[in-house]
Amino acid sequence: MLNKRLVSILVPLCLLMVLISCTSTPDNSNGAVVYRQYCMQCHQADGAGVANLNPPLIQTEWVLGDKSRLIGVVLNGLSDPIEINGETFRNVMASHAFLSDQDIADVLTYVRSSFGNEASAVTPEEVMAERLNQTHVD
Ligand code: HEC
């Protein structure tokens, strides 16, 4: 008796919660999730990086510029010294080629439209093209 009543309350409640959690997800939330999981520990939540260690992702030539070069950083990592906004960085960023085309596209779209950046989205097709391009060069 009590169980039946409980079930008749709990089942609709669960369905409602599932519905809410699905519909309240903002656009490109996957990009933010991938960023938090794979980039944030070095480039920080606000994209400002860490002085002398990890470069910022705010208005840099790499972030706002040529998309295939930007995709290449995520696919291959980076270890040559680079100068970003007047500061030289000589640390190592590992390859993130293990991420899917979709995840790389989403995280780069997120980076290019966050931290004050306003650049166009990156598509999974562009990531795939860059992967193929690199395999053929080697
Ligand atoms: C282990 C720390 C680390 C992680 C994790 C990391 N990076 Fe980097 N990243 C670096 C370092 C260090 C450099 C500079 C490398 C150099 O000096 O050659 C860099 C360079 C870059 C650059 C080019 C320079 C600039 O600041 O514009 C971009 C873009 C970038 N990272 C994006 C990402 C994205 C996106 C992710 C997550 C998928 C990520 N990084 C994960 C450390 C990291």
Side-chain angles (χ1 to χ4, degrees), residues 56-110:
L57 301 177
I58 304 169
Q59 310 275 337
T60 78
E61 221 182 285
W62 295 77
V63 169
L64 300 179
D66 181 53
K67 283 198 228 176
S68 51
R69 182 173 70 167
L70 177 61
I71 294 166
V73 171
V74 176
L75 289 178
N76 306 317
L78 205 62
S79 56
D80 303 329
I82 49 165
E83 197 186 303
I84 302 281
N85 301 343
E87 195 182 344
T88 304
F89 293 86
R90 302 166 196 282
N91 201 357
V92 174
M93 173 173 157
S95 158
H96 286 70
F98 57 86
L99 293 171
S100 69
D101 293 348
Q102 186 72 57
D103 281 352
I104 293 176
D106 287 350
V107 78
L108 290 179
T109 297
Y110 171 78

